[in-house]
Amino acid sequence: MNNVVTPAAEKQLLEIARSKGLETGRDRLAVMKPQCGFGELGTCCRICYMGPCRIDPFGDGPKKGVCGLSPDTMVARNLLREAVGGAASHVGHARHLLLTLRDALNGEAPYEIRGEKRLFALAELFGVPTKRRSAKDVCRDLVDIALQDFGRQDGKPNNWLSKRAPAMEQEMWEKLGLLYSNPHNEIETAMHASSMGNDADPVTLLLRTLKIGLVDGWSGLALCTDVQDILFGTPQVTTVESNVGVLEGNSVNIAVHGHNPVLSEKIMEWAGKLDKEAVAAGADRINLVGVCCTGNELSMRHGVPLAAHNAQSELVLATGAVDCMVVDIQCIWPSLPQLAKCFDTAFITTDEMVHIPGARHIEFEPHHANESAQEIVRAGIEAFAKRKGKQVDIPKLKTTAVVGLSLEAIVGILSKVDAKDPLKPVIDNVVNGNILGFAGIVGCASIKFRDGAMTEKMIKALLANNVLVVTTGCIAHICAQDGLLTSEATGKYCGDGLKAVLTALGQAAGLGGPLPPVWHMGSCVDNSRIVDLLGAVASRLGVKISQLPAVGSAPELVQEKAISIGCSFLALGTPLHVAPAPRILGSQVVTKVLTEDLVNITGAKVFVECDPEKAAAGVIEIIKEKRAALGL
Amino acid sequence: MDKAIFTFIDRCVACKGCEIACAVEHSRAKSLFGALAESPHPRPRVRVENAGVHSYPARCMHCEDAACIAACPMGAMTRNAATNAVYVDESKCIGCWMCVMVCPFGSVSADPVAKKAFKCDRCPDRTARGEDPACVAACPTRAMIYATPEELAAHRRQATAMNAAGKPVARVAGNVDLWRSLKGGTQK
């Protein structure tokens, strides 16, 4: 790429890493290139041992797998398995949270209900009696309802989907045969259907992929967010500091990395309680910072600073200033303990499912959360004692960021403008064109795109065209570091219409400045909050979600979870932009279904574009089509 | 004329199957799993290089007027009388790397263990049996062929003739062009 514009944090941290002779993902990517075209096209099949098979995209070599599998089926099966990988991650996360909540209610795990309001709102939605009942009793019933889904073999509709998802979309899913019952059964069936000698029809495989998207969306994302809000409270608007400059030279820097606040909340609690031990060891204090999505969780509930997104997880260690990096699940690069070893950094894995060679493993399970959390925090203090006085390299980069715009927080702000009909001010401005539409720019941060500032450029192009952007996950970190989650960004980047709306809303809500143009809605599981927002707007207008002038985008796809999240949005009918290309281009059928035919099935379609300006233009074009269809 | 290896860059999808096949062919075991057990591991003499949205299997061209043969002070760079391929006679090589210096294609390197010049020998055992070199045989997209220059030229003349007659030979390329165009943003 000619226009290399590496963001400042990466630029400085890479220089530091290189000066210390540290190997990073960028070095390994350079060695890996060129990457295998069969893999990129999705036409490499390793599912049975008559293979591995590869299809020659030029048509001269093999046209089918040894078993007779067509490239269309090969691609569809591989895509389904990617989606299963993502859905299994989110459903597993949700089940862990549920069991933690159940054990907490039984007094077996040291957690409590901090989100009573959310609990009672959900109880009402699920028909749990609340009158003259304690929060704990209500919560027990709700947990039972959620756990029923994981054990049921009666084929009845899944509780979390049937009670939580918008009605019009449920009707559509029923017609398409996409409703599911037990999420585990669906994950099992998808692996079964895609193993050797089962489903060979690319279309039914693609429909099953959409179904796995629904499993991900409702028994994964929505359930995760709901239980996290019950346990730890619903996020409210908070201003935090962001970027690597949040590390402090003379503090015990503890970085939580991963996804599950069951760990990070306890680390935060004990970081507070053991602060004196850190001071006794010669530190100013314990400085807790967040990496990746568990960072988002803590930032929006407690104002904990955001240190780094996933693609910077190695680089933040290169500072030498991280005394303890404690990780739970998902997106933990196996290279991290090797980098930690170059310094005094204690790198600690905690989940029984996540062991990494070179890491210290301190098993963290909810029953003994307090004991484990203390041990982890003390490991950080010990590491600091070894590190104290040595040189660290912390780039002086820090921005502020407004985070925590949960649906409840958004409605709270809008209620100050119109208490009876909070969504009205937004809807009116969509109708009059001040807001052209909405884009959810979400997902991973990829080293394949960071040196081109893909996300930042795409978002700025959208804002200039009056598209309001919501964000989650590692993309939210990118936005925070680039200053996009601030009032100033509204004046700097927005078109006149959007600027006027955000300024008026900010004033009316008494925020002392415009609302930021990019709304931080949480971690990657909090894409459920975006779904809830879309659902609320669609229901207020009496239209389907697929009719809204709203587009999703994963501009720097990395994880299988982004595939399953994407599928959940495709099932909802939300058009999606994605970069890089998903591994579907080896099949004409799959490519056509996802980029064209799906419009007639759910209303969604996928488009791929690796150039940020063109990607934004594509989003804007779809938004304009949707507006025209609505008569706007 | 003797056969040579010709490369069609449009067809390379960077699977690196040629690299693996080359290393296996130059192992003692001549099998993948056997080769992995050997120490030192056999190394490929062909390397798939990144070329923007394309990739290219780079290896020795076995030049008719080979600069490496002319430059070698020990006469170690040798032409195989049977196949016309250029190979290293390790018993004569002194590791001065003159050949590395003069090769216009970067196709001669240094064997880090043997400390001898290291390059493609165009698989003399295979070609003696009438088989294609290992890299050519392994390529799943036929990005390389083993043919005489006359054969390739004849093939091209025929295609040109069909084109001139308004009957171009259809090129089946799936979504390959689309795939390459979409790779643009991820390439430095």
Side-chain angles (χ1 to χ4, degrees), chain A residues 6 21 56 78 80 100 133 150 160 168 184 195 216 264 274 279 281 324 354 374 426 430 475 481 618:
Chain A
T6 309
D56 177 4
N78 288 340
L80 174 58
T100 303
R133 296 186 75 201
F150 288 90
W160 231 256
M168 271 194 241
H184 285 174
S195 72
D216 187 88
S264 58
L274 298 178
V279 173
C324 173
V354 182
Q374 287 178 65
V426 170
V430 173
I475 296 291
Q481 292 181 12

PDB file of all heavy atoms in Angstrom, chain A residues 6 21 56 78 80 100 133 150 160 168 184 195 216 264 274 279 281 324 354 374 426 430 475 481 618:
ATOM      1  N   THR A   6       0.596   4.350   9.694  1.00  0.00           N
ATOM      2  CA  THR A   6       0.515   3.585  10.928  1.00  0.00           C
ATOM      3  C   THR A   6       0.129   4.499  12.079  1.00  0.00           C
ATOM      4  O   THR A   6       0.743   5.542  12.263  1.00  0.00           O
ATOM      5  CB  THR A   6       1.880   2.934  11.227  1.00  0.00           C
ATOM      6  OG1 THR A   6       2.300   2.253  10.061  1.00  0.00           O
ATOM      7  CG2 THR A   6       1.782   1.959  12.384  1.00  0.00           C
ATOM      8  N   GLY A  21      14.850  -5.848  19.674  1.00  0.00           N
ATOM      9  CA  GLY A  21      15.006  -7.138  18.996  1.00  0.00           C
ATOM     10  C   GLY A  21      13.841  -8.085  19.201  1.00  0.00           C
ATOM     11  O   GLY A  21      13.998  -9.302  19.106  1.00  0.00           O
ATOM     12  N   ASP A  56      -8.679 -26.477  -8.082  1.00  0.00           N
ATOM     13  CA  ASP A  56      -7.951 -25.535  -8.931  1.00  0.00           C
ATOM     14  C   ASP A  56      -8.919 -24.448  -9.410  1.00  0.00           C
ATOM     15  O   ASP A  56      -9.839 -24.731 -10.171  1.00  0.00           O
ATOM     16  CB  ASP A  56      -7.367 -26.296 -10.134  1.00  0.00           C
ATOM     17  CG  ASP A  56      -6.653 -25.348 -11.096  1.00  0.00           C
ATOM     18  OD1 ASP A  56      -6.556 -24.140 -10.784  1.00  0.00           O
ATOM     19  OD2 ASP A  56      -6.200 -25.815 -12.156  1.00  0.00           O
ATOM     20  N   ASN A  78     -16.799 -25.117   5.039  1.00  0.00           N
ATOM     21  CA  ASN A  78     -15.747 -24.410   5.774  1.00  0.00           C
ATOM     22  C   ASN A  78     -16.286 -23.164   6.461  1.00  0.00           C
ATOM     23  O   ASN A  78     -15.924 -22.846   7.600  1.00  0.00           O
ATOM     24  CB  ASN A  78     -14.596 -24.041   4.838  1.00  0.00           C
ATOM     25  CG  ASN A  78     -13.773 -25.248   4.425  1.00  0.00           C
ATOM     26  OD1 ASN A  78     -13.810 -26.288   5.085  1.00  0.00           O
ATOM     27  ND2 ASN A  78     -13.041 -25.129   3.329  1.00  0.00           N
ATOM     28  N   LEU A  80     -19.398 -22.643   7.452  1.00  0.00           N
ATOM     29  CA  LEU A  80     -20.225 -23.071   8.586  1.00  0.00           C
ATOM     30  C   LEU A  80     -19.347 -23.382   9.795  1.00  0.00           C
ATOM     31  O   LEU A  80     -19.646 -22.977  10.915  1.00  0.00           O
ATOM     32  CB  LEU A  80     -21.056 -24.308   8.189  1.00  0.00           C
ATOM     33  CG  LEU A  80     -21.862 -24.976   9.303  1.00  0.00           C
ATOM     34  CD1 LEU A  80     -22.844 -23.988   9.940  1.00  0.00           C
ATOM     35  CD2 LEU A  80     -22.642 -26.187   8.762  1.00  0.00           C
ATOM     36  N   THR A 100     -21.806 -18.970  36.867  1.00  0.00           N
ATOM     37  CA  THR A 100     -21.255 -18.099  37.912  1.00  0.00           C
ATOM     38  C   THR A 100     -22.387 -17.415  38.672  1.00  0.00           C
ATOM     39  O   THR A 100     -22.383 -17.362  39.911  1.00  0.00           O
ATOM     40  CB  THR A 100     -20.325 -17.030  37.287  1.00  0.00           C
ATOM     41  OG1 THR A 100     -19.295 -17.691  36.550  1.00  0.00           O
ATOM     42  CG2 THR A 100     -19.711 -16.140  38.351  1.00  0.00           C
ATOM     43  N   ARG A 133     -40.946 -10.001  45.858  1.00  0.00           N
ATOM     44  CA  ARG A 133     -39.909 -11.033  45.805  1.00  0.00           C
ATOM     45  C   ARG A 133     -38.532 -10.365  45.828  1.00  0.00           C
ATOM     46  O   ARG A 133     -38.347  -9.270  45.298  1.00  0.00           O
ATOM     47  CB  ARG A 133     -40.033 -11.863  44.518  1.00  0.00           C
ATOM     48  CG  ARG A 133     -41.317 -12.652  44.434  1.00  0.00           C
ATOM     49  CD  ARG A 133     -41.305 -13.551  43.226  1.00  0.00           C
ATOM     50  NE  ARG A 133     -40.448 -14.718  43.416  1.00  0.00           N
ATOM     51  CZ  ARG A 133     -39.937 -15.435  42.412  1.00  0.00           C
ATOM     52  NH1 ARG A 133     -40.176 -15.068  41.167  1.00  0.00           N
ATOM     53  NH2 ARG A 133     -39.189 -16.490  42.648  1.00  0.00           N
ATOM     54  N   PHE A 150     -30.209 -24.806  27.728  1.00  0.00           N
ATOM     55  CA  PHE A 150     -29.011 -25.614  27.504  1.00  0.00           C
ATOM     56  C   PHE A 150     -29.268 -27.098  27.717  1.00  0.00           C
ATOM     57  O   PHE A 150     -28.456 -27.932  27.345  1.00  0.00           O
ATOM     58  CB  PHE A 150     -27.872 -25.139  28.418  1.00  0.00           C
ATOM     59  CG  PHE A 150     -27.310 -23.826  28.000  1.00  0.00           C
ATOM     60  CD1 PHE A 150     -27.837 -22.634  28.486  1.00  0.00           C
ATOM     61  CD2 PHE A 150     -26.269 -23.770  27.090  1.00  0.00           C
ATOM     62  CE1 PHE A 150     -27.329 -21.414  28.077  1.00  0.00           C
ATOM     63  CE2 PHE A 150     -25.748 -22.544  26.682  1.00  0.00           C
ATOM     64  CZ  PHE A 150     -26.282 -21.365  27.173  1.00  0.00           C
ATOM     65  N   TRP A 160     -34.273 -17.645  25.162  1.00  0.00           N
ATOM     66  CA  TRP A 160     -33.607 -16.334  25.017  1.00  0.00           C
ATOM     67  C   TRP A 160     -33.899 -15.714  23.652  1.00  0.00           C
ATOM     68  O   TRP A 160     -34.042 -14.507  23.528  1.00  0.00           O
ATOM     69  CB  TRP A 160     -32.101 -16.446  25.299  1.00  0.00           C
ATOM     70  CG  TRP A 160     -31.708 -15.400  26.289  1.00  0.00           C
ATOM     71  CD1 TRP A 160     -31.042 -14.252  26.017  1.00  0.00           C
ATOM     72  CD2 TRP A 160     -32.015 -15.382  27.688  1.00  0.00           C
ATOM     73  NE1 TRP A 160     -30.912 -13.509  27.160  1.00  0.00           N
ATOM     74  CE2 TRP A 160     -31.498 -14.168  28.209  1.00  0.00           C
ATOM     75  CE3 TRP A 160     -32.689 -16.228  28.555  1.00  0.00           C
ATOM     76  CZ2 TRP A 160     -31.618 -13.804  29.550  1.00  0.00           C
ATOM     77  CZ3 TRP A 160     -32.801 -15.883  29.887  1.00  0.00           C
ATOM     78  CH2 TRP A 160     -32.279 -14.683  30.370  1.00  0.00           C
ATOM     79  N   MET A 168     -41.115  -9.399  14.385  1.00  0.00           N
ATOM     80  CA  MET A 168     -41.189  -9.518  12.928  1.00  0.00           C
ATOM     81  C   MET A 168     -40.088 -10.409  12.389  1.00  0.00           C
ATOM     82  O   MET A 168     -40.303 -11.189  11.459  1.00  0.00           O
ATOM     83  CB  MET A 168     -41.066  -8.135  12.279  1.00  0.00           C
ATOM     84  CG  MET A 168     -42.407  -7.453  12.107  1.00  0.00           C
ATOM     85  SD  MET A 168     -42.211  -6.051  10.987  1.00  0.00           S
ATOM     86  CE  MET A 168     -42.680  -4.741  12.080  1.00  0.00           C
ATOM     87  N   HIS A 184     -26.590 -25.869  22.182  1.00  0.00           N
ATOM     88  CA  HIS A 184     -25.585 -26.934  22.078  1.00  0.00           C
ATOM     89  C   HIS A 184     -25.952 -27.932  20.988  1.00  0.00           C
ATOM     90  O   HIS A 184     -25.081 -28.418  20.270  1.00  0.00           O
ATOM     91  CB  HIS A 184     -25.426 -27.648  23.423  1.00  0.00           C
ATOM     92  CG  HIS A 184     -24.666 -26.830  24.415  1.00  0.00           C
ATOM     93  ND1 HIS A 184     -24.498 -27.199  25.718  1.00  0.00           N
ATOM     94  CD2 HIS A 184     -24.038 -25.650  24.291  1.00  0.00           C
ATOM     95  CE1 HIS A 184     -23.784 -26.287  26.362  1.00  0.00           C
ATOM     96  NE2 HIS A 184     -23.504 -25.332  25.509  1.00  0.00           N
ATOM     97  N   SER A 195     -19.385 -32.685   8.635  1.00  0.00           N
ATOM     98  CA  SER A 195     -18.312 -33.685   8.623  1.00  0.00           C
ATOM     99  C   SER A 195     -18.459 -34.552   7.369  1.00  0.00           C
ATOM    100  O   SER A 195     -19.412 -34.405   6.611  1.00  0.00           O
ATOM    101  CB  SER A 195     -18.350 -34.535   9.893  1.00  0.00           C
ATOM    102  OG  SER A 195     -19.453 -35.413   9.865  1.00  0.00           O
ATOM    103  N   ASP A 216     -25.484 -17.704  17.915  1.00  0.00           N
ATOM    104  CA  ASP A 216     -24.467 -16.772  18.392  1.00  0.00           C
ATOM    105  C   ASP A 216     -25.127 -15.506  18.946  1.00  0.00           C
ATOM    106  O   ASP A 216     -24.786 -15.037  20.029  1.00  0.00           O
ATOM    107  CB  ASP A 216     -23.525 -16.405  17.246  1.00  0.00           C
ATOM    108  CG  ASP A 216     -22.349 -15.574  17.711  1.00  0.00           C
ATOM    109  OD1 ASP A 216     -21.345 -16.175  18.102  1.00  0.00           O
ATOM    110  OD2 ASP A 216     -22.456 -14.334  17.695  1.00  0.00           O
ATOM    111  N   SER A 264     -11.945 -10.110  35.334  1.00  0.00           N
ATOM    112  CA  SER A 264     -11.377  -8.755  35.434  1.00  0.00           C
ATOM    113  C   SER A 264     -12.009  -7.943  36.559  1.00  0.00           C
ATOM    114  O   SER A 264     -11.344  -7.121  37.193  1.00  0.00           O
ATOM    115  CB  SER A 264     -11.508  -8.026  34.093  1.00  0.00           C
ATOM    116  OG  SER A 264     -12.850  -7.946  33.670  1.00  0.00           O
ATOM    117  N   LEU A 274      -5.449  -4.322  47.581  1.00  0.00           N
ATOM    118  CA  LEU A 274      -4.034  -4.607  47.843  1.00  0.00           C
ATOM    119  C   LEU A 274      -3.121  -3.436  47.465  1.00  0.00           C
ATOM    120  O   LEU A 274      -1.905  -3.596  47.375  1.00  0.00           O
ATOM    121  CB  LEU A 274      -3.601  -5.874  47.091  1.00  0.00           C
ATOM    122  CG  LEU A 274      -4.333  -7.163  47.487  1.00  0.00           C
ATOM    123  CD1 LEU A 274      -3.862  -8.344  46.657  1.00  0.00           C
ATOM    124  CD2 LEU A 274      -4.150  -7.462  48.976  1.00  0.00           C
ATOM    125  N   VAL A 279       2.224  -0.032  47.350  1.00  0.00           N
ATOM    126  CA  VAL A 279       2.933   1.146  47.855  1.00  0.00           C
ATOM    127  C   VAL A 279       4.115   0.710  48.710  1.00  0.00           C
ATOM    128  O   VAL A 279       5.224   1.244  48.603  1.00  0.00           O
ATOM    129  CB  VAL A 279       1.958   2.062  48.654  1.00  0.00           C
ATOM    130  CG1 VAL A 279       2.718   3.203  49.319  1.00  0.00           C
ATOM    131  CG2 VAL A 279       0.867   2.599  47.715  1.00  0.00           C
ATOM    132  N   ALA A 281       5.802  -1.857  48.312  1.00  0.00           N
ATOM    133  CA  ALA A 281       6.845  -2.370  47.411  1.00  0.00           C
ATOM    134  C   ALA A 281       7.530  -1.234  46.640  1.00  0.00           C
ATOM    135  O   ALA A 281       8.372  -1.492  45.784  1.00  0.00           O
ATOM    136  CB  ALA A 281       6.241  -3.373  46.436  1.00  0.00           C
ATOM    137  N   CYS A 324       2.003  -7.190  35.167  1.00  0.00           N
ATOM    138  CA  CYS A 324       1.229  -8.416  35.105  1.00  0.00           C
ATOM    139  C   CYS A 324       0.223  -8.292  33.973  1.00  0.00           C
ATOM    140  O   CYS A 324      -0.496  -7.303  33.897  1.00  0.00           O
ATOM    141  CB  CYS A 324       0.502  -8.639  36.432  1.00  0.00           C
ATOM    142  SG  CYS A 324      -0.649 -10.006  36.414  1.00  0.00           S
ATOM    143  N   VAL A 354      -7.525 -22.503  28.644  1.00  0.00           N
ATOM    144  CA  VAL A 354      -6.501 -21.690  27.971  1.00  0.00           C
ATOM    145  C   VAL A 354      -5.161 -21.818  28.690  1.00  0.00           C
ATOM    146  O   VAL A 354      -4.916 -21.146  29.695  1.00  0.00           O
ATOM    147  CB  VAL A 354      -6.930 -20.203  27.910  1.00  0.00           C
ATOM    148  CG1 VAL A 354      -5.887 -19.370  27.173  1.00  0.00           C
ATOM    149  CG2 VAL A 354      -8.290 -20.061  27.243  1.00  0.00           C
ATOM    150  N   GLN A 374      -6.300 -12.478  44.435  1.00  0.00           N
ATOM    151  CA  GLN A 374      -5.227 -11.953  45.289  1.00  0.00           C
ATOM    152  C   GLN A 374      -3.873 -12.446  44.822  1.00  0.00           C
ATOM    153  O   GLN A 374      -2.909 -11.685  44.744  1.00  0.00           O
ATOM    154  CB  GLN A 374      -5.427 -12.430  46.738  1.00  0.00           C
ATOM    155  CG  GLN A 374      -6.567 -11.748  47.437  1.00  0.00           C
ATOM    156  CD  GLN A 374      -6.748 -12.301  48.845  1.00  0.00           C
ATOM    157  OE1 GLN A 374      -5.885 -12.137  49.688  1.00  0.00           O
ATOM    158  NE2 GLN A 374      -7.866 -12.954  49.075  1.00  0.00           N
ATOM    159  N   VAL A 426     -34.031  11.244  17.353  1.00  0.00           N
ATOM    160  CA  VAL A 426     -33.138  10.593  16.393  1.00  0.00           C
ATOM    161  C   VAL A 426     -33.906  10.294  15.104  1.00  0.00           C
ATOM    162  O   VAL A 426     -33.443  10.592  13.996  1.00  0.00           O
ATOM    163  CB  VAL A 426     -32.542   9.290  16.991  1.00  0.00           C
ATOM    164  CG1 VAL A 426     -31.814   8.494  15.918  1.00  0.00           C
ATOM    165  CG2 VAL A 426     -31.591   9.619  18.136  1.00  0.00           C
ATOM    166  N   VAL A 430     -33.396  11.496  11.198  1.00  0.00           N
ATOM    167  CA  VAL A 430     -33.160  10.578  10.069  1.00  0.00           C
ATOM    168  C   VAL A 430     -34.121  10.960   8.945  1.00  0.00           C
ATOM    169  O   VAL A 430     -33.744  11.047   7.781  1.00  0.00           O
ATOM    170  CB  VAL A 430     -33.371   9.107  10.495  1.00  0.00           C
ATOM    171  CG1 VAL A 430     -33.284   8.188   9.275  1.00  0.00           C
ATOM    172  CG2 VAL A 430     -32.330   8.694  11.532  1.00  0.00           C
ATOM    173  N   ILE A 475     -12.476  -2.484  17.633  1.00  0.00           N
ATOM    174  CA  ILE A 475     -12.672  -1.285  16.814  1.00  0.00           C
ATOM    175  C   ILE A 475     -12.938  -0.087  17.734  1.00  0.00           C
ATOM    176  O   ILE A 475     -12.510   1.041  17.456  1.00  0.00           O
ATOM    177  CB  ILE A 475     -13.840  -1.484  15.826  1.00  0.00           C
ATOM    178  CG1 ILE A 475     -13.510  -2.596  14.816  1.00  0.00           C
ATOM    179  CG2 ILE A 475     -14.182  -0.184  15.097  1.00  0.00           C
ATOM    180  CD1 ILE A 475     -12.438  -2.291  13.810  1.00  0.00           C
ATOM    181  N   GLN A 481      -8.501   5.596  20.627  1.00  0.00           N
ATOM    182  CA  GLN A 481      -7.129   6.084  20.460  1.00  0.00           C
ATOM    183  C   GLN A 481      -7.048   7.192  19.414  1.00  0.00           C
ATOM    184  O   GLN A 481      -6.189   8.053  19.484  1.00  0.00           O
ATOM    185  CB  GLN A 481      -6.208   4.923  20.051  1.00  0.00           C
ATOM    186  CG  GLN A 481      -6.034   3.907  21.170  1.00  0.00           C
ATOM    187  CD  GLN A 481      -5.108   2.769  20.789  1.00  0.00           C
ATOM    188  OE1 GLN A 481      -4.410   2.827  19.785  1.00  0.00           O
ATOM    189  NE2 GLN A 481      -5.103   1.723  21.594  1.00  0.00           N
ATOM    190  N   GLY A 618     -19.543   2.399  -0.237  1.00  0.00           N
ATOM    191  CA  GLY A 618     -20.457   1.267  -0.362  1.00  0.00           C
ATOM    192  C   GLY A 618     -21.524   1.285   0.717  1.00  0.00           C
ATOM    193  O   GLY A 618     -22.707   1.030   0.461  1.00  0.00           O
TER     194      GLY A 618
END
